[in-house]
Structure formats: structure tokens, C-alpha cells
Amino acid sequence: DARAASLWVAMSIFAAATSALGWYLSATIVTPLRNAVRFANHMAAGDLSANMDSSRSDEIGAVLRALSQMGVN
């Protein structure tokens, strides 16, 4: 029936959009935060030579630059 087919198409599109959103969030938020945690753990262990570069202009970039500055000071 055409209505059931339309429902399956809509659900497939929704699933694809949800997957794309998850990938986007992972790439733009989760991965940089994991790197920041890894960097902070190096510094907590006493490795002040670690360096983290960030060209991001958002809040995550500000956190990464602040962490990097801690190693300089």
C-alpha cells in the first residue's frame, strides 16, 4: 500500500538524517573534547611539553587555547 511505502521512506530519511547529525556532532564536538582531555591528562601527569594548536573560534577552541597556555606559563 502506498501509505506504508511512504512511511518506510520517511523513516529511512529520518534514520539517515539522524546518522548524519550524530557523525557531525562527533566530528565537531566530541573529538576535540577527547583531544582536550588527553592533553589535560598529559599535563596532569607532569608533561608540560605537550602542545595543542587550535584554530577554532568557538568555546571549544577557547578551552584548547587555555589548556595550551597552561603549559607555557
Side-chain angles (χ1 to χ4, degrees), residues 20-32:
L21 179 63
W23 176 82
Y24 173 77
L25 290 176
S26 176
T28 59
I29 297 173
V30 175
T31 301

Side-chain angles (χ1 to χ4, degrees), residues 35-55:
N35 292 339
V37 169
R38 188 177 305 116
F39 180 78
N41 285 334
H42 280 282
M43 296 197 59
D47 180 10
L48 301 180
S49 66
N51 189 10
M52 176 169 267
D53 296 324
S54 176
S55 60

Side-chain angles (χ1 to χ4, degrees), residues 3 6 8-10 13-14 19 21 23 28-30 35-36 42 51-53 56-58 63 69 71:
R3 188 172 176 162
S6 295
W8 280 106
V9 169
I13 292 171
F14 179 75
S19 295
L21 179 63
W23 176 82
T28 59
I29 297 173
V30 175
N35 292 339
H42 280 282
N51 189 10
M52 176 169 267
D53 296 324
R56 296 176 64 122
S57 60
D58 58 0
V63 169
Q69 189 64 33

